[in-house]
Amino acid sequence: MRIIPEKSDMLQHWMFSQIHEDRDDCIFIQDGAPPHFHHEVRQYLDDTSPGRWMGRKQSTDDPSRMLSTPSNLNVIQGATVLLPCNVLHLDRKVRVWKHLPSRILFSGTISVSRDAKIHLVNGSSLRIDDITPQYAGAYVCFISNHPFLTVTHRIQVLVPPSIEQDPPNGKAIVRKGNPATITCNVSGIPNPVVTWSHEYNGEQVRACL
C-alpha cells in the first residue's frame, strides 16, 4: 500500500536528491504534518535524511544540529578570517572553540585565551584579525556534551616571498681560482621556487632550484 501521496513524488525524487547532491547543511522541517505520525513516513525520512528532519514524532529527542560545514582556507598574512559555527536549536548548550591540538579559545561567550586578535561574532563565529603563521592549523567548534556536533576549519596562512641576499650589497669578491659562494636566503609560505640566472657574453642562463 502506498502511504506517501502522489503529490509527494517531487519531494522524494527531486527535492531530497538535490539536498544530498548540492549541500549537507539542510534540515527538512514540516512541523505539524499529519503523515509524520505514520511509521513508514518516519522510516522513509530516516533512510533518506538520517538526523536531518524535524516534525511531529521525529526520530530524535534532541533537535540540535550543526549547520556549518568544514572548510580549508588559504589566507594571506595580515588578512581577517571568519570561521562559522551555526547550530540549530542550541538551547542551553555551550558552544566551545578550540585551536587544535589543545588551545581552548572560547567557552560559550567567555574568552579563555584572551588573545586580542581572536573575537567571537554574534556569539557563534570566530574571527581572527591580522592573521600570522602562528594562527595556522585546525579550529574546531563543538557543542558541550555532544561529541558529534562539531565543525572543523583548517587554515593555511600564505606569506609573500622575501629574499635576503648575502652579501647584502650583492657583490662577492673572490680571488681568481678560488670557489665563490653566493647565498640567496628565501622565505615564504608555501615555499617559493628559486631561480638563479647568469649573464655571460650577453646571454642569460637560468636554473631553477
Side-chain angles (χ1 to χ4, degrees), residues 63-116:
S64 299
R65 298 287 184 275
M66 176 63 70
L67 300 181
S68 297
T69 56
S71 63
N72 293 289
L73 305 172
N74 292 321
V75 183
I76 298 176
Q77 179 176 244
T80 295
V81 63
L82 187 67
L83 308 177
C85 181
N86 299 315
V87 179
L88 181 69
H89 296 308
L90 183 63
D91 298 326
R92 296 185 180 181
K93 304 177 187 70
V94 178
R95 182 188 283 107
V96 180
W97 275 102
K98 180 185 289 188
H99 185 191
L100 297 181
S102 58
R103 183 189 179 200
I104 297 178
L105 306 174
F106 280 90
S107 179
T109 58
I110 300 174
S111 174
V112 178
S113 69
R114 300 183 183 277
D115 190 321

Side-chain angles (χ1 to χ4, degrees), residues 114-119 127-132 134-135:
R114 300 183 183 277
D115 190 321
K117 290 188 177 184
I118 299 180
H119 311 273
R127 192 186 79 214
I128 307 174
D129 296 328
D130 190 22
I131 199 166
T132 56
Q134 73 186 74
Y135 292 90

Side-chain angles (χ1 to χ4, degrees), residues 31-39 42-43 45-46 53-61:
D31 292 328
H36 284 205
F37 280 115
H38 199 285
H39 68 90
R42 297 202 306 274
Q43 185 62 52
L45 292 172
D46 284 337
W53 68 273
M54 294 176 58
R56 301 172 74 178
K57 299 286 186 179
Q58 64 191 67
S59 58
T60 175
D61 294 330

Side-chain angles (χ1 to χ4, degrees), residues 62-209:
D62 188 351
S64 299
R65 298 287 184 275
M66 176 63 70
L67 300 181
S68 297
T69 56
S71 63
N72 293 289
L73 305 172
N74 292 321
V75 183
I76 298 176
Q77 179 176 244
T80 295
V81 63
L82 187 67
L83 308 177
C85 181
N86 299 315
V87 179
L88 181 69
H89 296 308
L90 183 63
D91 298 326
R92 296 185 180 181
K93 304 177 187 70
V94 178
R95 182 188 283 107
V96 180
W97 275 102
K98 180 185 289 188
H99 185 191
L100 297 181
S102 58
R103 183 189 179 200
I104 297 178
L105 306 174
F106 280 90
S107 179
T109 58
I110 300 174
S111 174
V112 178
S113 69
R114 300 183 183 277
D115 190 321
K117 290 188 177 184
I118 299 180
H119 311 273
L120 198 64
V121 179
N122 297 326
S124 59
S125 299
L126 196 71
R127 192 186 79 214
I128 307 174
D129 296 328
D130 190 22
I131 199 166
T132 56
Q134 73 186 74
Y135 292 90
Y139 291 79
V140 59
C141 174
F142 63 94
I143 308 305
S144 61
N145 301 323
H146 287 261
F148 301 109
L149 286 180
T150 67
V151 62
T152 301
H153 302 283
R154 301 182 185 278
I155 295 177
Q156 180 182 24
V157 180
L158 305 180
V159 180
S162 63
I163 299 176
E164 179 185 348
Q165 53 183 24
D166 183 20
N169 61 4
K171 296 181 179 181
I173 301 176
V174 184
R175 289 181 179 275
K176 184 178 180 180
N178 290 344
T181 301
I182 304 174
T183 304
C184 178
N185 298 314
V186 180
S187 62
I189 302 175
N191 292 328
V193 175
V194 178
T195 302
W196 283 90
S197 64
H198 175 221
E199 261 190 36
Y200 182 72
N201 290 336
E203 295 185 1
Q204 191 176 70
V205 179
R206 294 188 177 186
C208 295
L209 302 179

Side-chain angles (χ1 to χ4, degrees), residues 9-20:
D9 283 351
M10 185 177 68
L11 177 70
Q12 298 179 63
H13 303 306
W14 182 82
M15 196 190 82
F16 277 109
S17 64
Q18 290 296 311
I19 289 176
H20 295 312

